[in-house]
């Protein structure tokens, strides 16, 4: 199965209860975020709503484009001071 890696940082890591996980590839970032919210619920949902997302280290500007297999998605919540 083709996957993407999701890495959680700071408050996102605490809310997800893990540092990273693999999820199936081929869906958009918006679809992925919805799945993560459903999968983890609770404390992660508000973090996902305000987080920034990097796809292989680059800010994602098209949240509807399918994510190719093998990419890494970084979930970055707002950090102190800004």
């Amino acid at each position: 199965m083709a996957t993407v890696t999701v890495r959680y940082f700071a408050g996102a890591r605490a809310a997800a209860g893990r540092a990273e996980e693999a999820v199936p590839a081929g869906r958009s970032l918006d679809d992925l975020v919805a799945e993560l919210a459903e999968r983890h619920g609770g404390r992660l949902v508000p973090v996902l709503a305000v987080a920034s997302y990097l796809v292989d280290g680059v800010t994602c500007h098209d949240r509807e484009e399918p994510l190719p297999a093998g990419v890494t998605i970084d979930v970055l919540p707002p950090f102190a001071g800004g």
Side-chain angles (χ1 to χ4, degrees), residues 1-78:
M1 174 198 295
T3 63
V4 301
T5 300
V6 178
R7 299 189 305 183
Y8 300 100
F9 291 87
R13 178 182 290 181
R18 67 190 68 217
E20 70 178 50
E21 64 184 307
V23 297
R27 63 193 113 173
S28 71
L29 181 60
D30 281 342
D31 291 340
L32 173 64
V33 170
E35 179 186 325
L36 295 173
E38 184 176 312
R39 180 183 291 189
H40 298 291
R43 297 178 9 199
L44 187 57
V45 172
V47 175
L48 293 172
V50 297
S52 297
Y53 298 91
L54 302 180
V55 178
D56 281 346
V58 178
T59 301
C60 181
H61 295 288
D62 184 356
R63 295 176 58 118
E64 293 300 320
E65 183 177 331
L67 298 167
V71 298
T72 299
I73 310 300
D74 294 331
V75 180
L76 307 168

